Amino acid sequence: MTGGRWLLRAASLGAALLLWQGLTSLDVNLWLRFEQFPTVGEVAGAFTERAETGPFWQDLASSLRRIVTGFALAAVLGVAVGTAIARSRIAADVLGPLLEVLRPVPAIALVPVAILLFPSNEQGIVFITCTAAFFPVLVSTRHAVGALTPVWEEAVLTMGGGRARILFSVVLPGALPGIFGGLSVGIGVAWICVISAEMISGEYGVGYRTWQDYTVIDYPGVFVGMVTIGALGWLTSTAVERAGRRLTRWLPARDSSGPVPASAARTRTWRVPGRSPRTPHPATARAGATGPRSGSGPFPEQTREVTP
């Protein structure tokens, strides 16, 4: 990312903070009431005080542990079940109807179920977090696997590959872009539900502390919790997106200026055994010609345009 884009993003965030400071310091009270809102300075002071205490970091560690555990379970289960439903009619008939009935149920509505099923609040919160992230990953994986072209699978079968080779060499790599789309959505939904579960039945965590601040009318503390939640959500979603870009770096690159121009393309030549390599004519390479040329014999070289 260029320096100009970083500067634009920083300016956008700074403008929002200035607007917040102006509305609260002037006690604007039109249709929206800002006279009771804490100012940016008050929130920053409360955040500094909290950061110097042990309970703040304990709450932070508790929320991160719950989100990482629940999201990891959801990622593994969502990819496995989504792939099975997309690839197996039996799995689609057995698991599909049950999951479609459960999918519209909000994960936070499962708090009573978690209280009844699990012996501790910690396990119940992880269960709710896992359930929240599971369905976005499941749906994205199912659609990504179902959209793969069968030509790739047929090519592996032609070369003698089995089901395991098809799964790990064709299906999962080809579906990775769609899978990571679901993971990006799932991490955001997981944060919403883990904070809500901590507010309802948690003992520690950012959500629990934010709710406690609200009950004692500590509004700067409430905004400290909100800012902390937003920062944690941004960091974790960025980590997921970066992992997705790293694992799918084999995909064709496309920047904001549009597709790669023809002048940047390079030509690849396949050499037929027993014949000397020959550089094709640029016009022939651009056309992707594969037919015989004058003097090339019965086994002409095949060329195509490959964009970096």
Side-chain angles (χ1 to χ4, degrees), residues 163-249:
R163 292 184 177 181
R165 185 63 179 271
I166 292 174
L167 178 63
F168 293 104
S169 298
V170 174
V171 175
L172 292 180
L176 271 182
I179 291 173
F180 271 97
L183 290 174
S184 298
V185 176
I187 190 67
V189 177
W191 269 113
I192 294 173
C193 290
V194 73
I195 296 301
S196 302
E198 288 176 349
M199 288 181 175
I200 296 174
S201 62
E203 296 178 358
Y204 299 100
V206 180
Y208 169 79
R209 194 65 57 187
T210 303
W211 182 255
Q212 292 300 311
D213 291 333
Y214 172 74
T215 57
V216 298
I217 318 180
D218 182 6
Y219 293 127
V222 172
F223 277 84
V224 168
M226 294 170 60
V227 171
T228 304
I229 294 167
L232 291 175
W234 175 70
L235 289 175
T236 51
S237 62
T238 301
V240 171
E241 292 177 0
R242 286 183 177 271
R245 287 196 295 267
R246 180 174 293 273
L247 291 177
T248 58
R249 59 182 180 272

Side-chain angles (χ1 to χ4, degrees), residues 107-118 128 200:
I108 197 62
L110 299 176
V111 170
V113 177
I115 294 175
L116 294 175
L117 284 178
F118 296 96
I128 293 171
I200 296 174

Side-chain angles (χ1 to χ4, degrees):
M1 187 181 297
T2 61
R5 294 188 63 188
W6 280 113
L7 183 61
L8 180 60
R9 295 188 177 194
S12 174
L13 182 59
L17 292 176
L18 288 176
L19 179 62
W20 176 6
Q21 179 67 25
L23 292 174
T24 53
S25 61
L26 296 176
D27 293 335
V28 175
N29 188 7
L30 298 175
W31 181 62
L32 298 175
R33 301 175 299 175
F34 291 95
E35 73 272 10
Q36 295 183 357
F37 262 51
T39 64
V40 176
E42 292 173 347
V43 174
F47 183 86
T48 303
E49 293 178 2
R50 294 286 181 89
E52 296 175 352
T53 61
F56 175 82
W57 299 104
Q58 183 180 7
D59 294 333
L60 202 69
S62 297
S63 295
L64 283 174
R65 182 177 64 250
R66 292 162 179 167
I67 200 74
V68 169
T69 305
F71 181 72
L73 291 173
V76 174
L77 294 175
V79 172
V81 177
T83 303
I85 291 176
R87 301 277 300 173
S88 172
R89 291 183 179 178
I90 296 177
D93 293 337
V94 173
L95 299 177
L98 176 62
L99 294 174
E100 287 302 317
V101 170
L102 294 176
R103 185 158 67 97
V105 179
I108 197 62
L110 299 176
V111 170
V113 177
I115 294 175
L116 294 175
L117 284 178
F118 296 96
S120 68
N121 290 338
E122 187 73 18
Q123 296 172 354
I125 293 174
V126 171
F127 165 74
I128 293 171
T129 306
C130 176
T131 305
F134 170 75
F135 286 103
V137 179
L138 166 70
V139 173
S140 64
T141 301
R142 184 185 66 191
H143 287 292
V145 172
L148 294 177
T149 174
V151 175
W152 301 342
E153 182 176 344
E154 293 170 359
V156 176
L157 291 174
T158 301
M159 293 184 291
R163 292 184 177 181
R165 185 63 179 271
I166 292 174
L167 178 63
F168 293 104
S169 298
V170 174
V171 175
L172 292 180
L176 271 182
I179 291 173
F180 271 97
L183 290 174
S184 298
V185 176
I187 190 67
V189 177
W191 269 113
I192 294 173
C193 290
V194 73
I195 296 301
S196 302
E198 288 176 349
M199 288 181 175
I200 296 174
S201 62
E203 296 178 358
Y204 299 100
V206 180
Y208 169 79
R209 194 65 57 187
T210 303
W211 182 255
Q212 292 300 311
D213 291 333
Y214 172 74
T215 57
V216 298
I217 318 180
D218 182 6
Y219 293 127
V222 172
F223 277 84
V224 168
M226 294 170 60
V227 171
T228 304
I229 294 167
L232 291 175
W234 175 70
L235 289 175
T236 51
S237 62
T238 301
V240 171
E241 292 177 0
R242 286 183 177 271
R245 287 196 295 267
R246 180 174 293 273
L247 291 177
T248 58
R249 59 182 180 272
W250 46 270
L251 290 171
R254 181 184 294 269
D255 56 19
S256 58
S257 61
V260 179
S263 59
R266 65 177 184 274
T267 301
R268 181 174 296 172
T269 303
W270 285 266
R271 179 177 179 180
V272 179
R275 301 184 62 84
S276 60
R278 175 167 47 250
T279 302
H281 191 274
T284 304
R286 285 194 297 271
T290 57
R293 298 192 303 272
S294 175
S296 60
F299 299 101
E301 296 167 348
Q302 296 182 358
T303 62
R304 68 176 182 180
E305 183 180 287
V306 180
T307 56

